[in-house]
Amino acid sequence: MSRLPPRLFTPSKPLWWFGIALSLGVGIGLHVVATRSIENEAQGRFSNQARNTQFNINTSIKAYTDVLRAAASYFQAGGDVTRDSFHRYVRGLDLEHNYPAIDNINFAQYYTEALRPSAEARQGGIEDGAYPPFQRHPAGVRREYAVLTLIEPLEGFSDRYGLDIAARPSVAEALFSARDQGTMSSSGQPIPLRSAPSHVGMAMRIPIYRNGMPISTVAERRAACIGSVGLGFSVPRLVAVALGEMPVRSMRVMLRDSSAAPRAATVLFDSQPGAAGAGNEHFTTELPVQFHGRTWHAQFSVPKQALYSSFDQFLPMLAASMGFVASVLLYALFFTLASSRRRAVKMARAMTRELRDSQARLQLSHHRLRRLAAHADHIKEEERKRIAREIHDDLGQNLLALRIEADILATRTEKSHPRLHARARATLHQIDNTIRSVRHIINDLRPNVLDLGLSAAVEWQIAQFRQRSSIQCEFIEDAIADHGVDDHCATAFFRVLQESLSNIHQHAGASVVRVELYQSHGMLRMTISDNGIGIDTASRHKAGSFGLVGIEERISLLGGSCSISSLAHGGTTVSIAVPVGASTEDMRLSA
């Protein structure tokens, strides 16, 4: 510094232009860092939403495939499938609400030219008033036929009755190849839909074989095959259902099939037809969707601004401003200290006061975040309680009424209609399984046993854990363990127990678990210990692991304490304690 001109570095004449330039550089650097950080975070949210949509589309395709397999099982279960029974079966699926993308489900009867007269005479002799008179079309003599004889829903598709779908050589080849191989067939080519002519449709078919006949070879499968059951569905409706829970409505989804000709891909769906292509101001990604041996490509794009919150848009400028201001202050402080001890002390006091204010604001922000977390957790528990209650009151009553009807049907048909009785008993069994599933879902959301008190809920959870894991579990409680415990505190203790038992089952490798619940000196305490392998420090702070952190936070929000310890010879103990009698709202406010 002594080599520079004295007039430039005198205390009374500092290089302010150098300080301004340095501060601008720091501000610009912080602006770039904040911008990239926000963009990376938004990119991550976009990728997660795209993957969720991809998963929903794949799940919907599998669900519709399962519907087709279930229909095939219905035909192969034995006995003749009449128009009325097929109508009732499809009506029971409630396609409009459960599978809205499905256009229709149909059955095509296979027969050769030699068997055609008898098959068509038999079909023409069926009269029920719902179907039009049978007439195979298009006319002509072919070696094999695949004629649609059952269609549901029939409304809007009556002209398809009697249609020989094997009239086209390409379709016939796919149908009879699937019959010979015993596999599901899907050409992957778009088909027209009656319900939505502007939509792109896809069709799937699966061959049906006679019960009891061998199907080991191609000849045996040809001899045993009676036809195929198929369905057509709307690709736009399928994707629309997958997009139903998309939080960002401006996201564009384009589904293309480029399996056959990558350069001339077929657009199956476009949520924003006619929109301009994605540019540098968009997030884009492309994910595969599997459809029976064909790979569709789902392209997702969204404007970056759609994923930025107001704070995200303001943060880079805030960071640049703070960096600039901080740099200027530090630069000024440097020259102030060099020029005067008094000014240095004054500046130091000002900086200290500013740092204290920043610390106070940071602590206040931390307190507000904890209050927000407590409020969010309370809302989540209330919502789980509400959903569980609605499932129990609405769906549970409907299932119970359905079971009573099925039981009455089974009782009345026990002697007069053995086959119908067997189907009714099977339906009754399925309803019982559904009721058990509903009860399981309700218990996962919020076990009803919590309404009986914390002790009953803990005892029930331990019994469930013992049954599920076969691990010996001991429960010790005192007579007033849950006396004066409010619902919020009981729910928190129950969730801590759930998380702890889940960790023991998945990671501890324990054979004995001990749970203690008691009150002592105005505190409700619970201790969960096991003889497993213990927890090392690295596992407790592993990235992406929030189970133990969630336990500590729940108890902290209630004004309690939590300790998690592992012994040198193995085993882990989780101890929590919360004051009894304090208001839950006061606890959250004090947090």
Side-chain angles (χ1 to χ4, degrees):
M1 294 179 60
S2 60
R3 295 181 182 179
L4 295 176
R7 62 186 180 85
L8 296 178
F9 269 84
T10 58
S12 60
K13 192 177 182 180
L15 290 176
W16 290 112
W17 61 267
F18 179 76
I20 296 297
L22 179 62
S23 300
L24 285 174
V26 172
I28 293 173
L30 288 177
H31 185 280
V32 172
V33 171
T35 300
R36 290 181 178 177
S37 175
I38 292 172
E39 184 170 337
N40 291 337
E41 182 181 354
Q43 176 75 49
R45 294 199 303 271
F46 166 72
S47 299
N48 289 335
Q49 293 172 13
R51 284 193 293 268
N52 288 340
T53 303
Q54 176 202 27
F55 174 78
N56 291 338
I57 294 174
N58 284 324
T59 301
S60 297
I61 291 175
K62 183 180 182 302
Y64 292 163
T65 302
D66 291 341
V67 170
L68 184 59
R69 295 189 184 278
S73 299
Y74 175 69
F75 275 87
Q76 290 177 332
D80 293 333
V81 177
T82 64
R83 294 173 179 176
D84 182 62
S85 63
F86 185 63
H87 171 74
R88 285 187 281 105
Y89 173 78
V90 176
R91 185 178 61 185
L93 293 176
D94 194 4
L95 299 181
E96 181 179 356
H97 296 93
N98 298 325
Y99 309 99
I102 293 180
D103 207 37
N104 69 82
I105 302 178
N106 57 71
F107 172 75
Q109 183 181 1
Y110 292 178
Y111 49 81
T112 62
E113 171 61 22
L115 298 176
R116 179 183 58 80
S118 61
E120 293 184 356
R122 185 165 53 253
Q123 190 68 28
I126 302 176
E127 296 182 0
D128 58 3
Y131 281 70
F134 177 77
Q135 179 65 43
R136 177 178 56 84
H137 58 92
V141 177
R142 290 174 283 276
R143 188 169 62 89
E144 290 184 283
Y145 302 87
V147 180
L148 295 180
T149 57
L150 293 173
I151 304 174
E152 286 296 336
L154 184 60
E155 183 180 357
F157 299 94
S158 58
D159 61 325
R160 297 287 184 91
Y161 175 59
L163 174 65
D164 181 9
I165 59 177
R168 291 196 300 172
S170 59
V171 177
E173 181 181 358
L175 289 176
F176 299 132
S177 175
R179 173 199 64 187
D180 295 343
Q181 297 175 10
T183 59
M184 183 179 298
S185 66
S186 176
S187 65
Q189 299 300 318
I191 62 171
L193 296 176
R194 291 292 183 86
S195 60
S198 62
H199 286 193
V200 174
M202 287 289 167
M204 300 182 292
R205 302 199 71 83
I206 188 170
I208 308 297
Y209 301 98
R210 289 186 179 89
N211 261 341
M213 294 188 67
I215 54 173
S216 301
T217 65
V218 173
E220 290 176 345
R221 284 192 284 270
R222 289 180 178 178
C225 185
I226 61 174
S228 65
V229 62
L231 61 82
F233 64 90
S234 166
V235 176
R237 285 203 296 263
L238 181 143
V239 180
V241 173
L243 293 175
E245 299 180 0
M246 177 72 70
V248 181
R249 295 301 178 183
S250 58
M251 180 179 291
R252 182 182 185 184
V253 181
M254 182 182 295
L255 191 63
R256 298 178 290 107
D257 181 8
S258 56
S259 300
R263 294 185 178 179
T266 301
V267 177
L268 304 176
F269 174 78
D270 189 350
S271 62
Q272 299 177 13
N280 294 331
E281 296 302 317
H282 289 71
F283 292 124
T284 60
T285 187
E286 189 169 288
L287 299 174
V289 175
Q290 300 300 325
F291 178 71
H292 300 290
R294 302 176 69 87
T295 300
W296 295 346
H297 296 277
Q299 184 179 29
F300 302 86
S301 62
V302 67
K304 294 180 180 180
Q305 294 296 326
L307 294 176
Y308 295 161
S309 65
S310 300
F311 180 74
D312 291 338
Q313 298 177 7
F314 175 69
L315 182 60
M317 288 303 301
L318 177 63
S321 301
M322 293 183 65
F324 176 79
V325 171
S327 299
V328 169
L329 290 176
L330 290 175
Y331 191 77
L333 179 62
F334 171 77
F335 283 102
T336 301
L337 290 174
S339 62
S340 172
R341 181 179 180 277
R342 180 183 58 80
R343 292 177 60 189
V345 172
K346 183 179 179 180
M347 183 64 72
R349 289 175 178 174
M351 292 294 293
T352 301
R353 184 169 56 255
E354 185 175 271
L355 289 175
R356 287 176 179 174
D357 293 342
S358 299
Q359 184 178 8
R361 288 193 297 269
L362 179 62
Q363 189 170 4
L364 178 61
S365 176
H366 178 66
H367 288 170
R368 289 176 177 173
L369 286 175
R370 295 191 67 181
R371 290 176 58 189
L372 178 61
H375 182 63
D377 184 72
H378 178 70
I379 290 177
K380 182 178 72 173
E381 290 295 338
E382 290 298 319
E383 188 67 10
R384 290 165 71 114
K385 184 190 300 184
R386 182 188 66 80
I387 294 173
R389 185 181 300 112
E390 289 184 0
I391 292 176
H392 177 272
D393 294 344
D394 191 3
L395 184 57
Q397 291 180 5
N398 291 340
L399 286 174
L400 181 59
L402 185 60
R403 189 192 187 285
I404 293 173
E405 294 294 332
D407 187 58
I408 294 174
L409 178 61
T411 303
R412 292 182 177 179
T413 58
E414 182 177 4
K415 297 179 180 181
S416 58
H417 298 85
R419 182 175 297 176
L420 182 58
H421 174 72
R423 296 295 298 172
R425 296 303 300 178
T427 302
L428 191 61
H429 178 70
Q430 186 65 33
I431 293 173
D432 289 337
N433 290 337
T434 305
I435 292 175
R436 284 192 291 271
S437 298
V438 169
R439 289 175 178 170
H440 182 70
I441 292 172
I442 292 174
N443 285 331
D444 283 345
L445 289 171
R446 186 183 186 275
N448 292 329
V449 73
L450 267 174
D451 297 330
L452 302 178
L454 178 59
S455 295
V458 170
E459 187 173 359
W460 175 83
Q461 181 62 36
I462 289 175
Q464 293 292 313
F465 171 77
R466 188 186 297 117
Q467 180 181 1
R468 183 175 64 254
S469 64
S470 301
I471 298 176
Q472 181 180 350
C473 191
E474 181 182 6
F475 177 42
I476 300 175
E477 61 171 333
D478 62 16
I480 59 170
D482 55 357
H483 180 70
V485 179
D486 65 86
D487 182 70
H488 187 74
C489 180
T491 302
F493 267 61
F494 183 78
R495 296 301 183 195
V496 169
L497 177 63
Q498 275 188 323
E499 182 65 29
S500 301
L501 293 180
S502 176
N503 289 338
I504 292 173
H505 187 205
Q506 296 179 17
H507 310 295
S511 60
V512 177
V513 178
R514 180 187 179 95
V515 180
E516 298 182 40
L517 181 67
Y518 57 96
Q519 288 193 25
S520 175
H521 305 290
M523 302 287 288
L524 176 63
R525 303 178 185 272
M526 183 168 67
T527 303
I528 307 154
S529 57
D530 64 78
N531 63 344
I533 60 176
I535 306 176
D536 56 18
T537 305
S539 298
R540 291 190 59 177
H541 299 89
K542 183 171 62 175
S545 177
F546 302 100
L548 299 180
V549 175
I551 291 176
E552 294 172 343
E553 189 63 19
R554 281 181 181 273
I555 300 305
S556 177
L557 291 174
L558 292 173
S561 61
C562 173
S563 66
I564 304 173
S565 60
S566 287
L567 302 177
H569 59 277
T572 303
T573 299
V574 177
S575 299
I576 59 175
V578 170
V580 177
S583 169
T584 303
E585 182 66 23
D586 292 343
M587 291 291 184
R588 292 206 303 268
L589 293 176
S590 64

